[in-house]
Every structure is written in structure tokens, then in C-alpha cells.
Amino acid sequence: MSEHFEQLPLALRLADDATFANFYVAGANQLLADELQRQAQGGGEQWLYIHGRAGSGRSHLLQACCHLADARGAYARYLPVAELLSYRPEELLEGAESLDLLCLDDIDRALGNPDWERALFNCYNRLLASGTAMLVAAEQPVLQLSCQLPDLRSRLSGFSVLQVHPLSDEERVQALQFRGRCLGIELPDEVADYIYVRCQRDLGHLFAVLDTLDRQSLAKKRKLTIPFVKTAMGW
């Protein structure tokens, strides 16, 4: 693997908690989770494309795949494209063919940029030759991408496509309770419902509230009850 690929960019580290073990899988997303794990374990599709609305867990899933690949001794890299647009794409993607798995998040943010599109197309061809698996994620389906390079659009259209299905209100509450159990917090139904109806209902915000409550409950050695949550969050 090239020195550039090892060192660029320095801040790209996987979140420790972005694993399959603490990702709540609703029934509609079970096939997605199974396919991603198969690819990360070296036995699935070479080319996967997942899409889902903001806050659906795409970034978590891509990082979870990298963690799973790392656990089996494979080489994986996660690149959050939206955060890397100021970098030269050729340098970011240099040496990708030496990996076992390349995960590109928010790939749609780079499309429309000729330099990025050309670099992605060239990277695809190198991975095709090396057998490296590629997992990309975007907010919209492939057919809605604003891709200007016909050859790149054609290659992306050949990926196996899976959707990260949005959760229902009930499933979001269950996801909140699931995340609580991962943190060692027991969140009774009435407390979970109380939190859910009083804050933004995307999972990122819900989990941020839970992290705040976790810190405060540990500091004050209190269980999560409705009165405690009300006081802690100023509700």
C-alpha cells in the first residue's frame, strides 16, 4: 500500500462504536445487513451500492464493514467523501487496489466534479483488475445520481443496489432502547417514549440525547426515569 494512502488523511479513523453489534436491524434491513457482512467477510458481491436518507445509518454501516474486515485480518479503508472534497482524489484513492475492501461514503457529493469522476472511474478499473471489493453509499438511488462521465455512470449502474429502509416510529424507539442496552442502560418503554416525543426523531439526535443522559446518570448515579430525564434535558 502506498505511503500516500497510509497517511492521507490523518483524521480518518473508524468510530469505535460503529459496528454491526450495536446497529439496530429492523426486519426490512435484514437482507442489507446480511449482504454487507458477507462482502466484508470476503464472500459476497464485489460491487455494492447502498442508499438511504440522511440519518439512516449509512456511515455506521460502512464503518462496521471496515471493522468486520479488519477483524478477519483483511485490509479495509473508509473514506467519507463529503469531508474530503478539498483533497486531490487521485491521492486519496492511490493504492486502493492493494486493499481487500474500499468503502466510499457520500459518493454523490463528488459527482459533477470532473477530477473526482475521472479518479473514481480509474479506481474502479484498478479494483476490477485486483479483485478488491467496493462498497459505496449515497443518499439517492443510482439512477438519480448527477454523474457526468458516462463510463462511470455505466459502472455504478452495474453495482448490486440495496436500500437502507427508514425506520417506523416504533422501530426508532426500539433502536433507542437497543442503543441503550449497548451502553449498559436499561430504558423502560415509558422513558423511551417520553424521550422520543420530545426531541428530533432522527436516530443521530436520539442517540446524542441518550449519550448526554448516560453521562449525567453516571455522574449522579441515577437511573433513567422520566423525572430524571425531564430535569437533565430541561424539558
Side-chain angles (χ1 to χ4, degrees), residues 24 26-28 166-176 203:
Y24 177 77
L167 302 183
S168 66
D169 288 337
E170 180 181 358
E171 288 170 337
R172 288 194 188 100
V173 173
Q174 292 170 354
L176 181 64
L203 292 181

Side-chain angles (χ1 to χ4, degrees), residues 45-202:
E45 299 278 353
Q46 182 178 5
W47 315 104
L48 281 180
Y49 179 103
I50 69 171
H51 65 95
R53 65 180 59 169
S56 61
R58 298 190 317 264
S59 299
H60 185 121
L61 287 168
L62 264 64
Q63 293 181 71
C65 286
C66 289
H67 278 300
L68 189 57
D70 289 344
R72 69 178 179 90
Y75 291 100
R77 178 69 61 167
Y78 169 72
L79 295 178
V81 173
E83 301 175 29
L84 303 172
L85 295 177
S86 61
Y87 286 88
R88 292 182 59 196
E90 296 86 355
E91 291 184 347
L92 289 169
L93 298 170
E94 183 182 352
E97 64 274 12
S98 300
L99 299 168
D100 296 292
L101 174 64
L102 174 64
C103 295
L104 300 178
D105 201 359
D106 294 319
I107 193 174
D108 47 324
R109 296 288 297 277
L111 300 182
N113 181 315
D115 292 337
W116 268 95
E117 290 195 3
R118 185 167 51 252
L120 288 168
F121 176 70
N122 292 336
C123 179
Y124 173 95
N125 289 331
R126 297 198 307 274
L127 301 191
L128 180 63
S130 68
T132 298
M134 188 176 192
L135 169 61
V136 300
E139 189 165 349
Q140 60 268 79
V142 173
L143 295 179
Q144 296 179 19
L145 292 176
S146 300
C147 187
Q148 304 302 313
L149 185 63
D151 286 340
L152 177 59
R153 176 182 290 278
S154 174
R155 301 304 185 273
L156 290 173
S157 297
F159 280 50
S160 294
V161 179
L162 296 164
Q163 181 181 2
V164 187
H165 293 281
L167 302 183
S168 66
D169 288 337
E170 180 181 358
E171 288 170 337
R172 288 194 188 100
V173 173
Q174 292 170 354
L176 181 64
Q177 292 176 299
F178 175 81
R179 178 59 66 93
R181 289 193 293 273
C182 292
L183 294 172
I185 303 169
E186 190 58 39
L187 205 58
D189 291 344
E190 63 273 13
V191 178
D193 289 337
Y194 180 83
I195 294 171
Y196 187 71
V197 300
R198 282 166 176 78
C199 66
Q200 296 179 32
R201 297 180 182 182
D202 64 279

Side-chain angles (χ1 to χ4, degrees), residues 29-37 50 61 162-165:
N29 286 321
Q30 189 61 60
L31 175 62
L32 166 75
D34 291 344
E35 288 297 325
L36 291 178
Q37 290 179 78
I50 69 171
L61 287 168
L162 296 164
Q163 181 181 2
V164 187
H165 293 281

Side-chain angles (χ1 to χ4, degrees), residues 218-235:
L218 287 173
K220 298 180 180 180
K221 299 181 180 179
R222 296 275 302 278
K223 292 183 178 180
L224 293 190
T225 62
I226 290 177
F228 177 77
V229 171
K230 183 176 181 180
T231 301
M233 299 304 301
W235 293 338

